[in-house]
Amino acid sequence: MKYLVFVALTLVCFSFRLKNWSEKPRKQIYLLMGQSNMAGRGVITDEYKELQHTRVLMLNANNEWVAAKHPIHFDKPKVAGVGPGLAFGAALADAFPKDSIYLVPCAVGGTSIAKWEPGAFDKSTNTHPYDDALLRIKEAMKLGKINGAIWLQGESDSNPKSAAVYLEKLTALIERVRKETNNPNLPFVVGELGQYRDNYKLINEVLHQVPQKIKLTNYVTSEGLTHKGDTTHFDSPSATTYGVRFAKEMLMLIKK
């Protein structure tokens, strides 16, 4: 189990490696956006503390590029844990053996999609989720172009009123991010909420529509994934598996 991430990634790498896609080493930059399940709340045991990849880096709280390790996010330091980001980055690094993968953590736990609009303030974390993410995106763009974004959010919107406008708000968010990154074709992958709670079906039904409604997007299933005992947050193995699934769908978009 010590090298769970890297063993799990092997199937993805052999299936989705893009031959001759890059002749020279490149820096690929990806945005990690959403709320607590993207930030990661899985328990960081000794085996997860040790997990790293030599070509995966992350932008830390001080806007420094450092070796990526759990926790990737720092939205709520006391509870930040294992999320899908590291496994996502490692899978992409293995799929592109000459490239380095740079992760930009932007997720903020407990935030509804309404908090991901310009100027919106999240009182519980004393942050402006979208505005703060934009600052980090601009910092990352000093390194190069943004190659893609992954999104895992919706627990805070799992009610009829919010679900009714969720697709509209998500579409607007994706359009804003694509505009800010100067990339109208930025690949964007959205993740399904855990299937272990009935009320999450409201948002999952909306997320299922995203690839048909928004160009250059893919959808990731959470089928078979489990929570850590709180019926809300993915446990560490599930978060790791989810990261691999995100990478698989991102690679599908990159190949188009």
Side-chain angles (χ1 to χ4, degrees):
M1 175 95 177
K2 182 176 180 181
Y3 298 105
L4 172 64
V5 174
F6 306 104
V7 172
L9 301 181
T10 303
L11 292 176
V12 175
C13 298
F14 283 125
S15 298
F16 292 91
R17 182 169 302 203
L18 307 183
K19 296 180 180 179
N20 300 320
W21 200 80
S22 172
E23 294 298 331
K24 296 181 180 180
R26 299 172 308 132
K27 297 175 180 178
Q28 296 193 42
I29 307 171
Y30 293 90
L31 311 178
L32 314 179
M33 307 179 73
Q35 58 180 116
S36 57
N37 269 313
M38 177 61 78
R41 297 294 186 256
V43 178
I44 305 178
T45 60
D46 288 343
E47 62 186 346
Y48 285 99
K49 287 181 181 178
E50 297 176 8
L51 289 173
Q52 287 187 334
H53 192 292
T54 57
R55 289 181 288 106
V56 180
L57 298 93
M58 66 183 189
L59 191 64
N60 68 13
N62 297 317
N63 282 340
E64 302 166 329
W65 292 109
V66 298
K69 63 180 181 179
H70 296 302
I72 298 289
H73 282 78
F74 42 83
D75 59 318
K76 296 181 178 181
K78 292 184 179 180
V79 295
V82 176
L86 182 57
F88 169 77
L92 291 177
D94 285 346
F96 298 100
K98 294 182 181 180
D99 296 353
S100 294
I101 306 300
Y102 291 76
L103 304 175
V104 186
C106 300
V108 181
T111 52
S112 68
I113 197 168
K115 300 295 184 181
W116 286 88
E117 297 178 356
F121 178 69
D122 180 53
K123 185 177 181 180
S124 66
T125 55
N126 194 35
T127 64
H128 294 79
Y130 179 79
D131 295 346
D132 293 345
L134 184 56
L135 291 174
R136 294 176 63 74
I137 290 170
K138 290 181 176 179
E139 181 65 29
M141 289 175 69
K142 295 177 182 178
L143 193 68
K145 76 170 187 177
I146 306 299
N147 294 87
I150 60 175
W151 173 260
L152 182 53
Q153 186 279 338
E155 292 88 350
S156 294
D157 293 283
S158 294
N159 59 78
K161 183 177 179 180
S162 295
V165 296
Y166 191 86
L167 183 59
E168 176 184 348
K169 289 183 177 295
L170 181 59
T171 300
L173 172 64
I174 293 173
E175 290 177 351
R176 286 196 301 271
V177 173
R178 286 174 169 170
K179 181 178 179 180
E180 294 294 349
T181 58
N182 299 316
N183 186 355
N185 296 315
L186 182 76
F188 207 102
V189 180
V190 303
E192 184 181 45
L193 306 185
Q195 296 184 11
Y196 37 72
R197 280 181 64 167
D198 287 342
N199 65 314
Y200 287 171
K201 292 179 180 178
L202 289 170
I203 296 299
N204 285 341
E205 289 174 356
V206 178
L207 292 169
H208 295 170
Q209 303 174 42
V210 170
Q212 288 74 43
K213 300 291 186 179
I214 308 173
K215 69 175 184 177
L216 290 172
T217 61
N218 265 354
Y219 159 83
V220 184
T221 179
S222 65
E223 183 177 1
L225 303 185
T226 57
H227 60 83
K228 67 175 189 176
D230 60 2
T231 71
T232 300
H233 299 107
F234 295 113
D235 60 21
S236 297
S238 292
T240 298
T241 298
Y242 217 166
V244 176
R245 292 180 182 179
F246 267 112
K248 176 180 176 181
E249 296 305 325
M250 181 62 70
L251 286 168
M252 295 287 285
L253 288 178
I254 290 173
K255 289 175 67 177
K256 287 186 177 181

Short mmCIF file of all heavy atoms in Angstrom, two decimals, residues 10-36:
data_model
loop_
_atom_site.label_atom_id
_atom_site.label_comp_id
_atom_site.label_asym_id
_atom_site.label_seq_id
_atom_site.Cartn_x
_atom_site.Cartn_y
_atom_site.Cartn_z
N THR A 10 -0.28 2.95 -13.03
CA THR A 10 0.34 2.23 -14.14
C THR A 10 -0.64 1.98 -15.29
O THR A 10 -0.31 2.20 -16.45
CB THR A 10 0.88 0.87 -13.65
OG1 THR A 10 1.80 1.12 -12.59
CG2 THR A 10 1.58 0.15 -14.78
N LEU A 11 -1.85 1.54 -14.96
CA LEU A 11 -2.83 1.25 -16.01
C LEU A 11 -3.15 2.50 -16.82
O LEU A 11 -3.28 2.45 -18.04
CB LEU A 11 -4.11 0.69 -15.39
CG LEU A 11 -3.98 -0.70 -14.77
CD1 LEU A 11 -5.29 -1.10 -14.11
CD2 LEU A 11 -3.57 -1.73 -15.82
N VAL A 12 -3.27 3.63 -16.13
CA VAL A 12 -3.56 4.88 -16.83
C VAL A 12 -2.42 5.23 -17.77
O VAL A 12 -2.62 5.61 -18.92
CB VAL A 12 -3.78 6.03 -15.82
CG1 VAL A 12 -3.95 7.34 -16.56
CG2 VAL A 12 -5.00 5.74 -14.97
N CYS A 13 -1.21 5.11 -17.28
CA CYS A 13 -0.04 5.52 -18.06
C CYS A 13 0.08 4.70 -19.35
O CYS A 13 0.31 5.26 -20.42
CB CYS A 13 1.22 5.36 -17.22
SG CYS A 13 1.20 6.39 -15.76
N PHE A 14 -0.06 3.39 -19.25
CA PHE A 14 0.09 2.54 -20.43
C PHE A 14 -1.05 2.77 -21.42
O PHE A 14 -0.87 2.69 -22.63
CB PHE A 14 0.15 1.07 -20.04
CG PHE A 14 1.49 0.67 -19.49
CD1 PHE A 14 1.59 0.07 -18.25
CD2 PHE A 14 2.66 0.91 -20.20
CE1 PHE A 14 2.83 -0.29 -17.73
CE2 PHE A 14 3.90 0.56 -19.69
CZ PHE A 14 3.98 -0.04 -18.45
N SER A 15 -2.23 3.09 -20.90
CA SER A 15 -3.38 3.25 -21.78
C SER A 15 -3.44 4.61 -22.45
O SER A 15 -3.95 4.74 -23.55
CB SER A 15 -4.66 3.04 -20.97
OG SER A 15 -4.70 1.74 -20.45
N PHE A 16 -2.87 5.64 -21.79
CA PHE A 16 -3.10 6.98 -22.28
C PHE A 16 -1.83 7.77 -22.58
O PHE A 16 -1.88 8.95 -22.85
CB PHE A 16 -3.95 7.77 -21.26
CG PHE A 16 -5.34 7.25 -21.17
CD1 PHE A 16 -5.66 6.27 -20.25
CD2 PHE A 16 -6.33 7.71 -22.02
CE1 PHE A 16 -6.96 5.78 -20.17
CE2 PHE A 16 -7.61 7.23 -21.94
CZ PHE A 16 -7.94 6.26 -21.02
N ARG A 17 -0.66 7.15 -22.55
CA ARG A 17 0.56 7.86 -22.89
C ARG A 17 0.47 8.35 -24.34
O ARG A 17 0.10 7.62 -25.24
CB ARG A 17 1.77 6.95 -22.72
CG ARG A 17 3.07 7.66 -23.01
CD ARG A 17 4.26 6.83 -22.57
NE ARG A 17 4.19 6.51 -21.16
CZ ARG A 17 5.26 6.19 -20.45
NH1 ARG A 17 6.45 6.18 -21.00
NH2 ARG A 17 5.14 5.88 -19.18
N LEU A 18 0.81 9.60 -24.55
CA LEU A 18 0.71 10.20 -25.87
C LEU A 18 2.08 10.18 -26.53
O LEU A 18 2.96 10.96 -26.19
CB LEU A 18 0.20 11.65 -25.76
CG LEU A 18 -1.11 11.79 -24.96
CD1 LEU A 18 -1.56 13.24 -24.98
CD2 LEU A 18 -2.17 10.90 -25.54
N LYS A 19 2.27 9.30 -27.49
CA LYS A 19 3.56 9.11 -28.13
C LYS A 19 3.95 10.35 -28.94
O LYS A 19 3.18 10.87 -29.72
CB LYS A 19 3.53 7.88 -29.03
CG LYS A 19 3.29 6.58 -28.28
CD LYS A 19 3.26 5.40 -29.23
CE LYS A 19 3.01 4.11 -28.47
NZ LYS A 19 2.95 2.94 -29.39
N ASN A 20 5.19 10.77 -28.72
CA ASN A 20 5.77 11.90 -29.47
C ASN A 20 4.97 13.19 -29.33
O ASN A 20 5.11 14.10 -30.14
CB ASN A 20 5.90 11.55 -30.96
CG ASN A 20 6.78 10.34 -31.19
OD1 ASN A 20 7.80 10.20 -30.53
ND2 ASN A 20 6.38 9.47 -32.10
N TRP A 21 4.14 13.28 -28.28
CA TRP A 21 3.34 14.49 -28.09
C TRP A 21 4.23 15.65 -27.70
O TRP A 21 3.94 16.79 -28.01
CB TRP A 21 2.31 14.22 -27.01
CG TRP A 21 1.14 15.17 -27.03
CD1 TRP A 21 0.06 15.10 -27.86
CD2 TRP A 21 0.92 16.28 -26.18
NE1 TRP A 21 -0.80 16.13 -27.58
CE2 TRP A 21 -0.31 16.86 -26.55
CE3 TRP A 21 1.65 16.86 -25.14
CZ2 TRP A 21 -0.82 17.97 -25.92
CZ3 TRP A 21 1.13 17.97 -24.51
CH2 TRP A 21 -0.10 18.52 -24.90
N SER A 22 5.34 15.36 -27.03
CA SER A 22 6.25 16.40 -26.60
C SER A 22 7.68 15.96 -26.83
O SER A 22 8.14 15.00 -26.26
CB SER A 22 6.04 16.69 -25.10
OG SER A 22 7.03 17.57 -24.62
N GLU A 23 8.39 16.66 -27.71
CA GLU A 23 9.78 16.34 -27.99
C GLU A 23 10.71 16.88 -26.92
O GLU A 23 11.76 16.33 -26.65
CB GLU A 23 10.18 16.89 -29.37
CG GLU A 23 9.45 16.25 -30.54
CD GLU A 23 9.74 14.76 -30.66
OE1 GLU A 23 10.84 14.34 -30.27
OE2 GLU A 23 8.87 14.03 -31.13
N LYS A 24 10.33 18.00 -26.32
CA LYS A 24 11.16 18.63 -25.30
C LYS A 24 10.40 18.69 -23.98
O LYS A 24 9.16 18.77 -23.98
CB LYS A 24 11.55 20.05 -25.74
CG LYS A 24 12.42 20.09 -26.99
CD LYS A 24 12.76 21.53 -27.34
CE LYS A 24 13.64 21.58 -28.59
NZ LYS A 24 13.98 23.00 -28.95
N PRO A 25 11.11 18.67 -22.86
CA PRO A 25 10.43 18.78 -21.56
C PRO A 25 9.62 20.07 -21.47
O PRO A 25 10.08 21.12 -21.90
CB PRO A 25 11.59 18.78 -20.56
CG PRO A 25 12.71 18.11 -21.28
CD PRO A 25 12.57 18.51 -22.72
N ARG A 26 8.42 19.97 -20.95
CA ARG A 26 7.57 21.13 -20.82
C ARG A 26 7.07 21.25 -19.40
O ARG A 26 7.16 20.32 -18.61
CB ARG A 26 6.36 21.04 -21.76
CG ARG A 26 6.70 20.99 -23.23
CD ARG A 26 5.46 20.69 -24.06
NE ARG A 26 4.78 19.51 -23.55
CZ ARG A 26 3.47 19.44 -23.30
NH1 ARG A 26 2.70 20.48 -23.50
NH2 ARG A 26 2.94 18.33 -22.86
N LYS A 27 6.52 22.40 -19.08
CA LYS A 27 5.89 22.64 -17.80
C LYS A 27 4.38 22.72 -18.02
O LYS A 27 3.90 23.65 -18.65
CB LYS A 27 6.41 23.94 -17.18
CG LYS A 27 7.90 23.91 -16.88
CD LYS A 27 8.39 25.26 -16.38
CE LYS A 27 9.90 25.19 -16.08
NZ LYS A 27 10.43 26.51 -15.64
N GLN A 28 3.68 21.73 -17.51
CA GLN A 28 2.23 21.72 -17.63
C GLN A 28 1.62 22.18 -16.30
O GLN A 28 1.99 21.68 -15.23
CB GLN A 28 1.72 20.32 -17.96
CG GLN A 28 2.17 19.79 -19.31
CD GLN A 28 1.39 18.55 -19.71
OE1 GLN A 28 0.18 18.47 -19.54
NE2 GLN A 28 2.09 17.56 -20.25
N ILE A 29 0.67 23.10 -16.38
CA ILE A 29 0.08 23.70 -15.19
C ILE A 29 -1.41 23.39 -15.13
O ILE A 29 -2.14 23.62 -16.10
CB ILE A 29 0.29 25.22 -15.18
CG1 ILE A 29 1.77 25.57 -15.38
CG2 ILE A 29 -0.22 25.83 -13.88
CD1 ILE A 29 2.03 27.04 -15.60
N TYR A 30 -1.87 22.91 -13.98
CA TYR A 30 -3.27 22.54 -13.81
C TYR A 30 -3.86 23.16 -12.54
O TYR A 30 -3.21 23.21 -11.50
CB TYR A 30 -3.42 21.01 -13.75
CG TYR A 30 -3.08 20.34 -15.05
CD1 TYR A 30 -1.77 19.94 -15.33
CD2 TYR A 30 -4.04 20.15 -16.04
CE1 TYR A 30 -1.44 19.35 -16.55
CE2 TYR A 30 -3.73 19.58 -17.25
CZ TYR A 30 -2.42 19.18 -17.50
OH TYR A 30 -2.10 18.61 -18.72
N LEU A 31 -5.10 23.60 -12.66
CA LEU A 31 -5.81 24.21 -11.55
C LEU A 31 -6.66 23.18 -10.83
O LEU A 31 -7.35 22.38 -11.47
CB LEU A 31 -6.72 25.34 -12.07
CG LEU A 31 -6.09 26.36 -13.02
CD1 LEU A 31 -7.15 27.37 -13.47
CD2 LEU A 31 -4.91 27.05 -12.37
N LEU A 32 -6.63 23.19 -9.51
CA LEU A 32 -7.45 22.32 -8.68
C LEU A 32 -8.47 23.20 -7.98
O LEU A 32 -8.13 23.99 -7.10
CB LEU A 32 -6.60 21.58 -7.64
CG LEU A 32 -5.29 20.95 -8.12
CD1 LEU A 32 -4.56 20.29 -6.96
CD2 LEU A 32 -5.55 19.93 -9.23
N MET A 33 -9.75 23.06 -8.35
CA MET A 33 -10.77 23.99 -7.87
C MET A 33 -11.96 23.26 -7.26
O MET A 33 -12.26 22.12 -7.63
CB MET A 33 -11.24 24.88 -9.03
CG MET A 33 -10.12 25.58 -9.78
SD MET A 33 -10.68 26.60 -11.18
CE MET A 33 -11.42 27.96 -10.27
N GLY A 34 -12.65 23.91 -6.33
CA GLY A 34 -13.83 23.33 -5.73
C GLY A 34 -13.91 23.57 -4.24
O GLY A 34 -13.47 24.61 -3.74
N GLN A 35 -14.46 22.60 -3.50
CA GLN A 35 -14.55 22.74 -2.06
C GLN A 35 -13.80 21.62 -1.36
O GLN A 35 -12.75 21.18 -1.85
CB GLN A 35 -16.00 22.89 -1.60
CG GLN A 35 -16.98 21.79 -1.95
CD GLN A 35 -18.38 22.11 -1.43
OE1 GLN A 35 -19.29 22.29 -2.20
NE2 GLN A 35 -18.58 22.17 -0.11
N SER A 36 -14.26 21.15 -0.22
CA SER A 36 -13.42 20.32 0.65
C SER A 36 -12.95 19.01 0.06
O SER A 36 -11.83 18.56 0.34
CB SER A 36 -14.13 20.05 1.98
OG SER A 36 -15.39 19.44 1.76
#
